[in-house]
Amino acid sequence: MRRFEGATIYITGGSSGIGLEMAKIFASRGANMLLIARNEQKLEEARKQVEQSRRGPTQKIGALSVDVADVADVQQKMQAALSLYGAPEILVNSAGINKYADHFENIDHAMFDEVMRVNLYGTRNMIHALLGAMKQKRGHVVVLSSAAGLFGMFGYTAYGTSKAALLGLCDSLRYELKPLGMKVTVVCPPEVDTPMNLDEAKTLPPEGRAVKNLGGFLTPHYAASVIVKAVARGQYLCIPGASTRFLYLLHRLSNGRLTRFVSDMVIWATRKRKGA
Ligand SMILES: NC(=O)c1ccc[n+]([C@@H]2O[C@H](COP(=O)([O-])OP(=O)(O)OC[C@H]3O[C@@H](n4cnc5c(N)ncnc54)[C@H](OP(=O)(O)O)[C@@H]3O)[C@@H](O)[C@H]2O)c1
């Protein structure tokens, strides 16, 4: 079981939602934290909150504005971060967007590319920039995928594609890092009550909303606690929430037939209700 006291942890998306909750928990266990996101004001507010959660006054709690989708920004700022904070034992990739949850035909190329650039390439950029330094510490890479990476979902062609791709990235990366004594944890939460869902609600079709309800709804603190436990245990796949774990079990046992059947029924009933 890994202890976090004295560890250095970089966390993208650390200014909000699941990332911020994880940062508070890690800080309360004695870790030094570097929070990474774009908006400087939100970052500073988050930094103060995390500082209040820390166990002792000598723990460093820093914040750095980085656009993870911009590879040059990531490379330059991570070099600076390494000299200021040292190599991380743990890199948590929680930065992500869920804009454009909509019918595929309403998502233009620029929208689709934006989701891929932040969610997939942003994670790739961060891991690539830090991997060399993390090797010396036998570090641990944590990636926030989603239940939408495990199952197809109505309205999720852009977001779901980016999250399924992250599972592919992690599955391969894990094999490469294990012989180096490094670990990977990939996390697939269902819906979590964070600001991300406000963006999504603007466009998510009712069919998507109804299917999403099957997975359950978690608080950020609960999701973050489950993830931190999984990281402490060195667990590879982490699915917070009993409903989603049960759905995933059925999905695998039935080779996807059962989840497709249930989702098709829910979509059919929702369309009937709205008279489509
Ligand atoms: N909430 C859910 O229902 C849910 C479910 C499953 C999986 N997830 C995944 O969990 C992760 C965290 O989600 P959340 O719900 O905590 O979202 P959130 O509250 O909206 O937080 C997203 C974080 O990512 C940062 N971010 C977004 N784009 C960025 C960029 N280009 N560069 C750097 N930072 C960026 C945001 O800060 P700035 O905007 O200031 O950059 C913010 O700190 C995401 O990867 C999400 O896909 C969420």
Side-chain angles (χ1 to χ4, degrees), residues 87-88 130-139 176-177 180-182:
L130 292 171
L131 194 56
M134 288 180 74
K135 271 186 199 169
Q136 293 150 23
K137 290 200 167 174
R138 298 182 168 222
E176 291 187 28
L177 300 193
L180 307 177
M182 295 181 71

Side-chain angles (χ1 to χ4, degrees), residues 43-250:
L43 266 171
E44 183 49 25
E45 282 161 20
R47 198 194 64 75
K48 285 183 190 150
Q49 286 183 44
V50 175
E51 206 165 60
Q52 278 169 10
S53 305
R54 72 184 163 173
R55 184 189 279 181
T58 56
Q59 278 169 256
K60 272 197 204 167
I61 313 291
L64 189 59
S65 172
V66 181
D67 180 354
V68 296
D70 178 343
V71 67
D73 195 37
V74 169
Q75 283 170 349
Q76 188 207 330
K77 303 255 179 74
M78 286 310 106
Q79 277 315 311
L82 287 172
S83 20
L84 256 176
Y85 296 89
E89 272 88 2
I90 301 174
L91 164 65
V92 180
N93 296 277
S94 188
I97 55 172
N98 188 9
K99 288 154 118 181
Y100 323 125
D102 203 344
H103 294 270
F104 180 60
E105 58 185 348
N106 296 339
I107 304 171
D108 69 25
H109 287 35
M111 293 166 168
F112 197 99
D113 291 353
E114 183 186 340
V115 175
M116 295 299 282
R117 261 203 313 276
V118 177
N119 293 358
L120 175 60
Y121 292 120
T123 301
R124 186 277 314 266
N125 293 342
M126 285 296 301
I127 300 172
H128 208 267
L130 292 171
L131 194 56
M134 288 180 74
K135 271 186 199 169
Q136 293 150 23
K137 290 200 167 174
R138 298 182 168 222
H140 192 148
V141 176
V142 182
V143 171
L144 268 289
S145 173
S146 167
L150 298 171
F151 316 105
M153 277 169 67
F154 197 110
Y156 270 42
T157 48
Y159 182 76
T161 301
S162 72
K163 294 297 177 177
L166 284 175
L167 279 165
L169 172 71
C170 290
D171 274 357
S172 295
L173 192 63
R174 181 197 159 278
Y175 286 115
E176 291 187 28
L177 300 193
K178 193 175 163 73
L180 307 177
M182 295 181 71
K183 289 208 156 62
V184 175
T185 295
V186 62
V187 188
C188 298
E191 187 167 24
V192 182
D193 186 12
T194 72
M196 174 172 279
N197 294 307
L198 301 174
D199 254 342
E200 175 194 270
K202 292 175 194 155
T203 50
L204 183 69
E207 294 91 334
R209 181 62 265 167
V211 171
K212 217 179 158 190
N213 291 342
L214 299 172
F217 190 58
L218 308 179
T219 65
H221 183 74
Y222 175 79
S225 317
V226 174
I227 300 166
V228 169
K229 242 183 240 159
V231 174
R233 284 196 211 111
Q235 190 179 318
Y236 173 65
L237 178 64
C238 168
I239 305 179
S243 309
T244 307
R245 275 198 299 279
F246 182 63
L247 279 176
Y248 185 55
L249 179 70
L250 294 181

